Amino acid sequence: MPRSLALRLLSLLATCASLVSMPVARAEQVFRVTAIPDESPTELARKAAPLMKFLEGRLGMKVEFTPVTDYAAAVEALVNRKVDLAWFGGFTFVQAQARSGGRIIPLVQREEDAKFRSVFITADPEVRTLADLKGRDVSFGSQSSTSGHLMPRSCLLQAGLVPERDFRRVAYSGAHDATIAAVAAGKVQAGAVNISVWDKFVADGKIDASKVRVIYETPPFYDYNWSVHAEMPAAEREKLQQAFLGLNRDTSEGREILDLQRASRFVPTRPENYKGIEDAARSAGLL
């Protein structure tokens, strides 16, 4: 073998050996987050962006918001560990607990969620009480919504009203903002929405409160929370919880995130807080 060829072969072998000895680059770890689609996709994405950036800094890894098409998809995503963190309503949390055999852990909720409420709204001047809804078209949000369906339905049942029997038509808009739009446009005579979205619409001037008004407000109940799967290591759960609890209005970042989440602050929560939601769901035949 010519000396020049032998040298080239030795050089090639040395290069291959160095490549073999190099560490294999690991795929970037991604922390995935989802939320029930209780508002429009653009609104959810707008609210999520600053929070995802904040969590990236606290967790030290890439954080991605993964939208889902409906409430059931959010439940399945966390139960099957397709995502690491999910924003649930009280009812979707209860559903996730049932689907997972109690393997879903609620970490934090907004302080406001300890005494959440829903409202029935109307633009019909003849509708003044729940009893006036008889024979009319009424919209809920998603069928799996706590504040847009379950708790309003529970109040109707307690008032002796069965939607499928007493209303002319029962509609499901899929989201709170869609319900408000349907009522304002006269597509239905009344709708049930969460008070947080309603108050925001009024404050932002997105609805004429002189034409669309509240006729009934539910008693308070526990609602939304951020939940994880029990398979998440305890240390990671603690780090995540502390990140939320550390959000405050003393910084521009904290103030922006809390305003977008419509929260004064986040506080710890526990599964027992949602027993009332579970009882209401069973009484209404929804669980």
Side-chain angles (χ1 to χ4, degrees):
M1 179 184 295
R3 186 170 181 274
S4 60
L5 178 58
L7 289 174
R8 285 199 295 272
L9 285 173
L10 286 172
S11 177
L12 179 61
L13 288 171
T15 300
C16 290
S18 66
L19 288 173
V20 169
S21 64
M22 289 176 63
V24 177
R26 295 180 62 188
E28 183 180 19
Q29 187 177 2
V30 178
F31 188 89
R32 302 188 188 280
V33 182
T34 197
I36 55 171
D38 60 345
E39 295 183 80
S40 69
T42 53
E43 179 64 8
L44 287 178
R46 184 181 76 88
K47 289 166 58 177
L51 178 58
M52 300 305 104
K53 182 180 177 181
F54 169 78
L55 291 177
E56 278 190 352
R58 293 302 184 275
L59 300 178
M61 68 179 79
K62 184 174 178 59
V63 176
E64 286 186 356
F65 181 70
T66 304
V68 291
T69 55
D70 55 36
Y71 283 49
V75 169
E76 293 303 315
L78 188 60
V79 169
N80 294 313
R81 301 183 64 198
K82 301 297 184 183
V83 297
D84 303 288
L85 176 68
W87 173 246
F88 285 148
F91 186 27
T92 34
F93 166 74
V94 168
Q95 290 175 318
Q97 278 285 66
R99 283 278 295 111
S100 66
R103 301 287 287 162
I104 303 303
I105 299 174
L107 288 185
V108 295
Q109 62 182 45
R110 299 171 302 187
E111 191 169 46
E112 290 78 1
D113 288 311
K115 294 183 178 180
F116 208 77
R117 289 178 170 84
S118 298
V119 292
F120 280 90
I121 59 172
T122 186
D124 187 335
E126 295 184 2
V127 175
R128 299 186 178 279
T129 67
L130 291 183
D132 294 332
L133 298 179
K134 280 189 175 182
R136 289 181 163 84
D137 302 330
V138 180
S139 179
F140 296 108
S142 165
Q143 287 182 298
S144 293
S145 173
T146 312
S147 52
H149 179 219
L150 172 60
M151 299 312 287
R153 176 181 283 269
S154 180
C155 289
L156 289 168
L157 294 175
Q158 290 176 30
L161 294 168
V162 178
E164 288 72 20
R165 180 195 69 197
D166 295 317
F167 299 160
R168 181 171 58 191
R169 179 170 66 93
V170 176
Y172 293 95
S173 71
H176 300 290
D177 47 6
T179 300
I180 294 172
V183 173
K187 295 180 180 178
V188 292
Q189 283 76 62
V193 298
N194 96 33
I195 196 168
S196 177
V197 174
W198 169 252
D199 286 346
K200 182 67 173 172
F201 261 66
V202 173
D204 290 348
K206 292 181 178 179
I207 196 75
D208 186 345
S210 68
K211 295 180 179 178
V212 183
R213 68 191 194 284
V214 172
I215 61 164
Y216 181 83
E217 185 174 303
T218 70
F221 53 88
Y222 277 94
D223 203 354
Y224 297 88
N225 67 56
W226 285 103
S227 287
V228 299
H229 197 283
E231 293 297 319
M232 178 181 285
E236 190 173 352
R237 293 201 304 264
E238 175 67 16
K239 190 174 184 180
L240 185 59
Q241 184 183 55
Q242 289 306 313
F244 277 100
L245 298 181
L247 282 166
N248 61 73
R249 296 183 175 278
D250 293 339
T251 66
S252 58
E253 180 183 43
R255 190 161 51 251
E256 178 188 20
I257 292 170
L258 291 171
D259 283 345
L260 285 171
Q261 299 297 313
R262 295 195 281 273
S264 55
R265 63 177 180 140
F266 283 96
V267 297
T269 190
R270 53 186 185 151
E272 292 78 10
N273 288 342
Y274 306 95
K275 185 64 169 64
I277 298 294
E278 180 182 353
D279 291 343
R282 294 192 186 283
S283 294
L286 299 176
L287 188 67

